[in-house]
């Protein structure tokens, strides 16, 4: 079972990206996907969207998996492995989470996965604004990511080269792909997401 952990600020395009990756895996590769969705509140909208797309969804509400309900996430991953036996588990973090913290906990406490990857979605249209107002959170969300998807490049926003420079100041080896999830993601981008090297 391989795990993809998706992070990124509220409205960055996580759900749209996850839906396209899940569709690619289930239709092109004929692989089984389960999505774990984390929401801060008591109810979510994305879980209904995922379920309506024919995907199996497990929702974790009432806190952030990176700091409040980590043990519940580990138990959920173990339960999914035992009962559903998927090829992939895709975890959608709440938009206020630090993916690196969750990734470290899963890697430390779960023994049921064969590969793990953290993918963070960055919103080109709001990068400068978010960096100016929420810099520690925004940079904390990209720290430790295996792949950054620079999303919404079809919209106006910060210069793409400037964003890449900012990201490489966090980690010079950080891999960045540039796209717009509002349009269909290319096979190259989808393969980059699901590739473990």
């Amino acid at each position: 079972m391989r795990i993809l952990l998706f992070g990124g600020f509220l409205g960055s395009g996580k759900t749209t990206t996850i839906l396209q990756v899940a569709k690619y895996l289930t239709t092109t590769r004929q692989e089984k996907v389960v999505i774990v969705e984390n929401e801060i509140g008591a109810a979510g909208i994305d879980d209904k969207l995922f379920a309506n797309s024919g995907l199996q969804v497990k929702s974790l509400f009432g806190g952030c998996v990176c700091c409040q309900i980590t043990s519940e996430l580990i138990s959920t991953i173990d339960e999914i492995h035992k009962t559903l036996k998927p090829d992939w588990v895709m975890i959608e973090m709440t938009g206020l989470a630090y993916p690196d913290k969750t990734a470290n906990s899963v890697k430390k406490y779960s023994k049921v996965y064969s590969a793990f990857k953290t993918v963070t979605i960055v919103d080109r249209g709001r990068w400068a604004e978010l960096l100016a107002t929420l810099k520690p959170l925004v940079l904390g969300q990209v720290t430790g990511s295996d792949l950054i998807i620079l999303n919404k490049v079809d919209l106006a926003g910060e210069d793409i080269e400037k964003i890449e420079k900012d990201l490489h100041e966090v980690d010079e080896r950080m891999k960045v792909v540039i796209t717009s999830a509002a349009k269909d993601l290319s096979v190259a981008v989808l393969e980059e997401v699901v590739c473990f090297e």
Side-chain angles (χ1 to χ4, degrees):
M1 181 174 88
R2 288 153 288 179
I3 297 178
L4 291 172
L5 177 73
F6 288 87
F9 195 73
L10 299 161
S12 62
K14 291 187 301 295
T15 302
T16 304
T17 301
I18 291 169
L19 279 170
Q20 291 187 53
V21 174
K23 181 181 177 187
Y24 178 71
L25 291 170
T26 56
T27 59
T28 304
R29 293 188 174 195
Q30 306 297 309
E31 293 182 309
K32 186 174 181 180
V33 175
V34 174
I35 296 172
V36 177
E37 184 202 17
N38 177 219
E39 291 288 348
I40 293 287
I45 296 168
D46 292 345
D47 57 331
K48 293 172 185 61
L49 199 96
F50 290 136
N52 289 339
S53 297
L55 298 165
Q56 293 182 293
V57 182
K58 172 70 176 166
S59 298
L60 298 175
F61 295 117
C64 175
V65 293
C66 71
C67 48
Q68 295 169 303
I69 57 173
T70 303
S71 61
E72 188 176 340
L73 175 64
I74 304 301
S75 298
T76 298
I77 290 169
D78 291 347
E79 176 191 334
I80 288 168
H81 175 71
K82 189 185 302 180
T83 60
L84 300 175
K85 299 182 178 8
D87 299 296
W88 296 86
V89 171
M90 300 169 77
I91 303 168
E92 179 181 14
M93 303 286 297
T94 175
L96 299 173
Y98 293 92
D100 196 38
K101 290 182 180 181
T102 301
N104 289 337
S105 294
V106 172
K107 289 174 185 176
K108 183 175 180 180
Y109 297 112
S110 179
K111 305 299 179 213
V112 298
Y113 66 91
S114 60
F116 189 100
K117 187 174 192 174
T118 302
V119 180
T120 302
I121 316 297
V122 169
D123 182 345
R124 179 226 183 152
R126 296 184 298 155
W127 177 257
E129 174 190 346
L130 292 174
L131 207 55
T133 57
L134 298 166
K135 187 173 185 174
L137 173 62
V138 172
L139 294 183
Q141 288 187 330
V142 300
T143 298
S145 296
D146 298 303
L147 177 67
I148 299 291
I149 295 179
L150 180 50
N151 193 25
K152 302 185 182 181
V153 295
D154 54 328
L155 303 177
E158 181 70 73
D159 178 69
I160 291 171
E161 288 182 7
K162 169 71 167 82
I163 297 172
E164 287 185 291
K165 182 178 180 288
D166 291 343
L167 292 169
H168 287 123
E169 284 177 6
V170 174
D171 181 349
E172 64 184 18
R173 295 164 299 153
M174 192 174 287
K175 180 139 189 148
V176 180
V177 296
I178 300 166
T179 192
S180 174
K183 302 173 180 173
D184 287 341
L185 293 174
S186 70
V187 172
V189 170
L190 293 165
E191 277 295 323
E192 191 66 55
V193 172
V194 301
C195 176
F196 291 88
E197 289 182 351

